[in-house]
Amino acid sequence: MHIDDYDRKQPLYDAFAQTVAAVLAAAIEHAGGYRLQVVRARAKDPVSLRTKLLERGQADADDIDQKIKDLAGCRAIFYTNGDIEKLLASGLVEDNFEVIERRIHQPSLEPEAASGMYTANHYVVTLKADRLALPEYARYAGMRCEIQLQTILNHAWAELEHDIIYKKPPQTPHFGKQALDSIKQRLRGIATKYLVPAGYEFDKVIVDFDRLMHGKALLDRGALAAISQAVDNNARYEAIESFGEHVLSLYDEPESVIAEVMAVLSAAAEQAEAAPTVSIDTPFGALAGKNFEDIAGLIGRVLRPYRYLDVPQMLAVARRLHRLATSSAERKPGTELAQAIAKPELTMWNAYGPAVQRLVVEAVAALDTDTLRRELPLLAEVLESILELEATSSTFSSNAVALNRGTLPGSAGLASIRNHALHQLERLYASAQDDSERNRIVAAMGHAVRPPYGAAPTRELSRILIANAVWVIDFFTGIVGGASLEQARVLEQRVHRYFNRFRAVRPELADDPELVRLTGELAMATTRFRGALATVPDLSAYKVLVGFDSVFPPSWEDQDFGHEVIERFRAEQADALLAQIDAQNYPEWLARLTLFAQTESTDAATFMKFGPFLQALARKLPAPTLAHLDRFDGRLRRFLFWSLAGLLQSPLGPDTLRRIAEWLERGESLREVSRLLIVAPDVPEELFRAVLASSIAHADHEALKNVGHACERHFSGERAAPSFHQSVLLEALAYLVEHNDNSWSTAGGGFWWYHSEVLQALDDSAAQQVLEWLVPHPELDAHGDYVVAAVCKDRPLLALDLIDRRLAAARADAVPGFVAIPYELHETTKVLRTVPEAVLGASRLWFEADEQSLDHSVERLLEAVFEDFPPGLRASLEALLASDQRDDVLFALDVLGAIDEQEAAFELVRCVVALWADDEDVMDRVHSVIAHEGMTVGFDGRVKALAAKKARLEPWLTDPREQVRNFAKVAIHDLEQRIAIESRRTQTMLASRRMQYGEDPLGPAGSDTPTKPGTA
């Protein structure tokens, strides 16, 4: 169509535009929920159209209906950005029109031209075929209309910008250019300074108003009552969450309702604890339902912002949550809420001092002895939090969370509240029922003596700390006489640390007589403690044999009594103890050692000296040791293997072997004897095999794993001539595997197998057997990775074979929860990197087996193995992509899509586009390769990633092959639209976050004011 033809047809285009506008307006009204101001329509003015065509050099074009997309146009104008985003997501335009093109116009925050601030969403549409079939619409066949979606603010700016920029007067040399540039600059400033922020502010107003209306509706429907009436924990969770987010947060004076809220939420916690878990049905299957842990955590999060409104009652809620819990995970929400109440918060402390902490201590002081005993763990956490010298607070902004930390200033109020907290800990100690509880109280008291982090305490704070240290040491002096050996040892270690910390006044404070006096009191208190400690029977011997951080006499006098010196002193003392023991007093010492062994500890370092001492004692006195083996009972029996090791090194070794043989015959002490194999050197093969046979005969799996550990530890030799340990190990593992015990690969934390020499020395047949045992493992975790890497260290093809068999097992879907390849195989990956071509070849087989696609777990493996994109891989992929075999190309594209090497990927797929442009499946995979983004960082990371892709495609526009050029045009257009969409999403997200924290949409600001604590 020529411009002259358009002059005649302009009324038809105008009618077409009005028709499109009417259909669009009706569809929006029918959908409902939009704030639409108006839908305007027009056909392009012939005069302005001629001007545009002249500027483009297209005045005589015969296809202007193809070159100009908005001959007919309509603009739907909305009040807010949110309305437009909602319409875009709804698909309403696509449902009512045939969309030919969609284009997003989104400005950056720093455009270079006024027109760069244009914001809109454009669709080029035609009427759908079913509508064109109707007589009244038939005349619009083949006609296109541009639909624009804009806010009223952007519409006003766009109209003004259009009149000024596109209707500017003809340029005259040396006249008006600066004035026009100034006008453009002002237009840009109007958009940046006023329109963009105003649009975001309008959205914020609408969101806040909708939230207010939603909250009011919930309030009117009885949102708080809905929590009590919930039929199960799923409904209860939803009701509490909705109330906290949409109702409680909108109260002008939350203190007026907080008592009722706490009562309802406390009752809800009790209901939740008694209620069964009900799964949540979804279209994708059943999801785990909410339980007490979920409800308690939500209650804690809802109440935490209001924790200072009624401190005693809020603490009571936390105690109730903790009391209802039956596991550590369930207790966590109550503990965290209680700690948040008690711990000094910087803003509150600066405003009100220790007011909150005083209320907490008073609440604890009011509890009776039975309550103290029942709630001791939580109350210890609470009082410990009060003794913290560091107050913290958090300051939030749109792009950061500032964690503020400050040391509390020394004051009479601080000293008083700490003294009260210590006295309550003293009450708690009196109610403690076992050593673990008593140790917890002792640890909490230690917080009273802990200086502030990262800075020396001030003069006033030093006085408080030393006074607290004197009180704590005197308290320890009073309890040490009745303490267990381990507790007495720990008390001494603590007093020693406190004494060294404050034994001398710092030089800059040496002129303070009060500090000098307190330091003297500390020394006297320490002396009193050491005197009481000296009365504890057997403590000196206990400290030599048990514990890794014991305090010895020289340490009191010499602060530089270092670790190596301590260990020499300890060894000398152990030798001295050993010298004291003879056949006559052996029973007495055995009773003493039995007492020492009662210490409970999960730290292996606690008994590092104890076991070797038993071994040395058995070597020295084999006869009484052998005679008293049956008295190694209770906790002492855990250390029997050490004595057996000593006996085997003594003249009574043969007698000991006979005793062990008797036990093995009866299946007794299998775990102790199997641990003997680990620690004893040069154990004969006969004993290894006897323990193996008895463990198998009596189905003792733990003993068999100990045998495996011993074999791994003592193995020697090489693949051609391994020691007997290898065959024993294989028999032990074979039994465990036969009895479906896969824990052998994780025994000892799995570290037994890390670079394991016994596995590396397996011959090929045995190596294949071990790997065969790993095939049915539901999930090959990091420990299994160690096994595979050790077995396949110089046999990487075996690792590929294992992966192949596990993938086949996964396809068979025979084992529930089976994961063929774990998320990361760190050690095995290192092995596979030595054979990249073999990995590529195996991947081709997996590709074919999986219907010409790569499983996601295989893609992860390839990404790890080809992390450095080895040169040989590029050549192989290049050859595959140049192949005329479609399967070769599809496979190579899948490999490229799996690895993170964008630059090479773009270079390699260009030839594919040229050769396979008409193959839809191939081109889908090309798009997938190009779409791969990897990890992006920062709020604009995705925009930068998309822009980088666009930059890589731009050279394609000059490629001599038409298919490549056409592909690049479409792909670049698509990327430009995605960049615009992502830029809009990012800018909207940033503006929303800024306004959430009281900042200008284009720059942060804001402040917080604390609420005074109350007792209500």
Side-chain angles (χ1 to χ4, degrees):
M1 181 172 62
H2 191 270
I3 181 62
D4 294 334
D5 298 322
Y6 179 74
D7 282 339
R8 295 189 300 274
K9 292 185 177 180
Q10 198 260 358
L12 178 62
Y13 273 90
D14 187 65
F16 178 47
Q18 298 295 337
T19 298
V20 171
V23 172
L24 181 61
I28 293 172
E29 182 180 1
H30 178 75
Y34 293 95
R35 298 175 181 86
L36 176 69
Q37 188 210 29
V38 69
V39 179
R40 293 184 173 181
R42 63 99 181 103
K44 207 162 190 64
D45 178 62
V47 175
S48 64
L49 178 58
R50 284 183 184 275
T51 302
K52 176 182 282 192
L53 291 172
L54 281 169
E55 289 177 350
R56 293 184 179 184
Q58 299 173 345
D60 294 324
D62 291 327
D63 57 347
I64 65 169
D65 53 334
Q66 300 300 315
K67 296 182 181 297
I68 307 299
K69 299 174 182 178
D70 62 340
L71 294 178
C74 67
R75 178 177 291 175
I77 303 169
F78 297 85
Y79 284 103
T80 71
N81 294 318
D83 290 311
I84 294 178
E85 296 303 321
K86 177 181 175 182
L87 189 141
L88 291 173
S90 71
L92 183 146
V93 174
E94 291 84 348
D95 291 341
N96 289 276
F97 301 97
E98 201 68 52
V99 176
I100 297 172
E101 180 183 329
R102 176 183 172 185
R103 183 176 290 274
I104 308 296
H105 294 272
Q106 178 65 22
S108 69
L109 290 179
E110 296 180 346
E112 295 182 356
S115 59
M117 294 306 297
Y118 180 66
T119 301
N121 304 270
H122 290 192
Y123 290 89
V124 177
V125 304
T126 64
L127 296 181
K128 284 182 174 284
D130 56 350
R131 196 180 295 275
L132 288 171
L134 300 174
E136 61 268 34
Y137 297 111
R139 59 183 178 149
Y140 303 133
M143 298 178 68
R144 300 187 300 178
C145 178
E146 182 179 79
I147 297 175
Q148 298 180 7
L149 309 178
Q150 282 191 335
T151 64
I152 190 170
L153 290 174
N154 289 327
H155 168 67
W157 187 93
E159 289 291 291
L160 182 62
E161 186 252 9
H162 183 273
D163 288 344
I164 291 174
I165 303 301
Y166 289 97
K167 297 183 180 180
K168 60 184 181 289
Q171 291 189 8
T172 300
H174 311 297
F175 179 84
K177 182 178 181 302
Q178 292 181 0
L180 185 60
D181 289 344
S182 176
I183 292 170
K184 291 179 180 180
Q185 180 68 27
R186 186 172 295 278
L187 269 176
R188 183 163 62 247
I190 290 170
T192 303
K193 187 175 180 181
Y194 300 109
L195 293 189
V196 173
Y200 294 139
E201 294 287 3
F202 274 148
D203 284 345
K204 176 67 172 168
V205 167
I206 294 299
V207 168
D208 287 349
F209 183 75
D210 287 347
R211 179 168 170 262
L212 176 62
M213 295 301 292
H214 181 56
K216 183 63 168 62
L218 289 172
L219 182 66
D220 292 342
R221 292 201 301 267
L224 200 55
I227 297 173
S228 303
Q229 296 164 4
V231 296
D232 58 34
N233 281 340
N234 301 329
R236 190 169 293 112
Y237 187 96
E238 184 177 349
I240 295 172
E241 185 176 48
S242 181
F243 176 81
E245 182 177 351
H246 300 295
V247 181
L248 183 58
S249 61
L250 292 173
Y251 271 98
D252 299 325
E253 298 177 348
E255 60 271 20
S256 65
V257 297
I258 198 64
E260 182 183 4
V261 171
M262 287 190 291
V264 169
L265 294 181
S266 293
E270 292 204 359
Q271 292 173 316
E273 194 278 329
T277 300
V278 179
S279 62
I280 303 171
D281 293 329
T282 75
F284 307 103
L287 301 178
K290 302 299 183 183
N291 54 26
F292 172 76
E293 181 185 340
D294 299 316
I295 301 294
L298 179 59
I299 290 173
R301 292 192 296 275
V302 168
L303 290 179
R304 183 165 179 160
Y306 311 98
R307 62 190 181 277
Y308 300 132
L309 295 182
D310 188 341
V311 170
Q313 285 306 310
M314 197 67 72
L315 181 62
V317 174
R319 290 171 45 220
R320 194 171 189 180
L321 291 176
H322 193 274
R323 193 165 58 248
L324 290 169
T326 58
S327 68
S328 59
E330 289 182 353
R331 284 188 282 272
K332 186 177 179 182
T335 300
E336 289 181 343
L337 179 58
Q339 288 174 319
I341 297 167
K343 186 175 173 62
E345 198 273 340
L346 196 59
T347 309
M348 291 298 298
W349 189 280
N350 289 338
Y352 307 109
V356 171
Q357 287 66 38
R358 188 172 295 111
L359 291 170
V360 172
V361 171
E362 289 172 358
V364 175
L367 301 177
D368 58 34
T369 302
D370 287 342
T371 304
L372 292 178
R373 183 177 296 115
R374 186 171 58 249
E375 301 183 17
L376 184 145
L378 177 65
L379 296 176
E381 297 281 354
V382 168
L383 294 169
E384 182 179 85
S385 296
I386 289 174
L387 291 171
E388 292 283 352
L389 277 178
E390 292 164 355
T392 59
S393 66
S394 301
T395 304
F396 297 88
S397 67
S398 60
N399 62 355
V401 178
L403 302 178
N404 310 306
R405 181 191 297 270
T407 300
L408 302 180
S411 66
L414 177 64
S416 174
I417 199 64
R418 288 166 70 85
N419 288 338
H420 288 314
L422 284 170
H423 284 298
Q424 293 310 310
L425 284 169
E426 184 179 14
R427 288 183 66 215
L428 270 187
Y429 190 91
S431 69
Q433 301 179 74
D434 56 41
D435 269 3
S436 65
E437 291 187 345
R438 284 185 275 271
N439 289 338
R440 182 65 190 89
I441 305 304
V442 165
M445 287 181 173
H447 278 247
V449 194
R450 180 181 294 177
Y453 176 78
T458 62
R459 185 183 305 269
E460 294 78 9
L461 208 51
S462 295
R463 293 172 183 168
I464 293 172
L465 285 166
I466 298 175
N468 289 160
V470 171
W471 188 97
V472 171
I473 291 172
D474 280 341
F475 177 77
F476 290 175
T477 301
I479 66 173
V480 72
S484 67
L485 288 170
E486 176 61 14
Q487 191 179 16
R489 189 190 72 81
V490 172
L491 290 175
E492 182 184 22
Q493 192 259 354
R494 287 182 173 277
V495 172
H496 181 259
R497 186 163 68 246
Y498 304 159
F499 175 67
N500 280 336
R501 185 175 291 160
F502 301 115
R503 69 193 302 170
V505 180
R506 300 202 315 272
E508 66 269 24
L509 303 178
D511 61 343
D512 190 318
E514 178 64 11
L515 281 176
V516 173
R517 183 188 68 78
L518 286 170
T519 302
E521 286 193 14
L522 178 72
M524 289 187 290
T526 301
T527 300
R528 290 192 294 271
F529 173 80
R530 293 185 66 188
L533 191 71
T535 65
V536 179
D538 294 327
L539 181 60
S540 296
Y542 177 82
K543 290 192 301 180
V544 170
L545 299 179
V546 181
F548 59 91
D549 55 356
S550 298
V551 177
F552 298 103
S555 300
W556 285 102
E557 311 304 328
D558 183 3
Q559 285 183 279
D560 297 325
F561 198 64
H563 175 73
E564 292 183 2
V565 180
I566 288 174
E567 289 305 304
R568 285 199 299 270
F569 177 87
R570 192 171 191 170
E572 292 168 1
Q573 294 299 304
D575 290 342
L577 292 177
L578 195 61
Q580 297 176 27
I581 308 174
D582 55 29
Q584 286 69 38
N585 63 15
Y586 184 92
E588 175 188 338
W589 269 95
L590 184 61
R592 187 175 286 123
L593 294 169
T594 300
L595 176 64
F596 293 177
Q598 302 312 305
T599 296
E600 295 185 18
S601 176
T602 56
D603 191 337
T606 301
F607 292 101
M608 284 182 65
K609 303 298 180 185
F610 189 71
F613 182 83
L614 290 175
Q615 184 178 9
L617 179 59
R619 271 198 311 267
K620 177 185 176 182
L621 299 172
T625 300
L626 190 60
H628 288 82
L629 284 181
D630 292 337
R631 289 183 56 186
F632 279 65
D633 52 14
R635 290 185 177 273
L636 183 62
R637 197 160 190 83
R638 295 178 298 166
F639 304 97
L640 174 62
F641 65 94
W642 285 107
S643 293
L644 293 175
L647 287 170
L648 289 180
Q649 295 171 321
S650 75
L652 295 185
D655 298 310
T656 304
L657 287 173
R658 283 192 289 274
R659 175 69 68 88
I660 291 174
E662 293 172 4
W663 290 342
L664 296 178
E665 181 68 26
R666 298 192 297 269
E668 296 175 2
S669 303
L670 277 173
R671 297 187 185 182
E672 291 75 17
V673 175
S674 61
R675 294 187 72 187
L676 163 68
L677 303 181
I678 298 172
V679 301
D682 304 322
V683 175
E685 179 178 357
E686 293 75 15
L687 182 55
F688 261 90
R689 295 198 178 279
V691 176
L692 172 68
S694 182
S695 299
I696 290 175
H698 296 91
D700 193 322
H701 289 207
E702 291 303 314
L704 283 167
K705 283 182 276 189
N706 286 339
V707 170
H709 184 195
C711 291
E712 195 284 326
R713 183 169 185 173
H714 296 296
F715 172 79
S716 61
E718 53 189 23
R719 191 169 297 170
S723 63
F724 69 85
H725 303 91
Q726 192 179 84
S727 62
V728 172
L729 170 66
L730 291 173
E731 280 193 58
L733 297 186
Y735 177 88
L736 292 171
V737 171
E738 183 183 353
H739 291 80
N740 299 315
D741 186 347
N742 294 326
S743 64
W744 62 269
S745 66
T746 62
F751 292 106
W752 298 349
W753 312 118
Y754 185 68
H755 293 180
S756 169
E757 293 183 6
V758 68
L759 295 181
Q760 292 174 8
L762 293 172
D763 62 30
D764 288 348
S765 175
Q768 290 171 348
Q769 178 61 74
V770 171
L771 295 176
E772 172 69 21
W773 290 334
L774 291 174
V775 170
H777 278 220
E779 186 168 0
L780 200 63
D781 58 12
H783 310 114
D785 178 33
Y786 294 153
V787 176
V788 177
V791 172
C792 302
K793 181 181 179 182
D794 58 353
R795 294 171 287 205
L797 297 184
L798 290 183
L800 285 174
D801 181 65
L802 170 65
I803 294 171
D804 180 66
R805 300 180 71 178
R806 288 183 61 83
L807 286 168
R811 286 191 292 271
D813 200 20
V815 180
F818 189 86
V819 179
I821 307 174
Y823 188 73
E824 288 180 331
L825 285 174
H826 290 290
E827 298 301 316
T828 305
T829 296
K830 295 176 185 177
V831 173
L832 293 177
R833 283 176 186 157
T834 63
V835 286
E837 288 300 320
V839 173
L840 188 65
S843 301
R844 179 61 182 268
L845 296 177
W846 302 332
F847 172 83
E848 300 293 347
D850 211 12
E851 299 180 354
Q852 293 189 325
S853 68
L854 289 177
D855 181 82
H856 182 56
S857 62
V858 174
E859 291 180 338
R860 288 201 313 265
L861 179 68
L862 295 181
E863 183 177 14
V865 172
F866 298 144
E867 182 180 34
D868 297 328
F869 201 66
L873 176 64
R874 181 183 181 118
S876 297
L877 291 176
E878 201 163 7
L880 288 167
L881 292 170
S883 168
D884 59 358
Q885 297 299 308
R886 185 171 180 272
D887 288 356
D888 290 344
V889 176
L890 292 175
F891 168 66
L893 288 172
D894 272 12
V895 174
L896 271 178
I899 59 182
D900 188 14
E901 183 53 53
Q902 283 281 287
E903 187 172 350
F906 273 74
E907 293 173 7
L908 290 172
V909 299
R910 196 193 289 207
C911 69
V912 177
V913 173
L915 296 173
W916 300 88
D918 296 329
D919 190 308
E920 185 177 344
D921 195 11
V922 170
M923 296 311 295
D924 283 345
R925 299 198 194 195
V926 169
H927 282 292
S928 179
V929 171
I930 290 176
H932 186 84
E933 290 177 10
M935 181 179 294
T936 59
V937 179
F939 70 89
D940 59 347
R942 193 150 188 266
V943 172
K944 290 179 178 177
L946 293 171
K949 293 179 185 299
K950 179 186 171 188
R952 291 192 180 102
L953 280 172
E954 284 171 345
W956 293 26
L957 295 172
T958 58
D959 191 283
R961 293 163 294 190
E962 183 181 3
Q963 299 93 328
V964 175
R965 295 195 303 274
N966 291 340
F967 178 90
K969 290 176 185 176
V970 174
I972 288 174
H973 172 75
D974 179 60
L975 284 168
E976 288 172 343
Q977 296 306 291
R978 291 170 64 192
I979 289 170
I981 292 170
E982 189 63 26
S983 297
R984 177 178 296 177
R985 185 197 67 80
T986 300
Q987 292 173 22
T988 302
M989 178 269 293
L990 285 174
S992 176
R993 285 175 59 181
R994 286 167 180 158
M995 288 186 290
Q996 180 182 352
Y997 294 104
E999 302 170 7
D1000 185 281
L1002 303 181
S1007 63
D1008 294 311
T1009 303
T1011 303
K1012 185 174 182 178
T1015 56

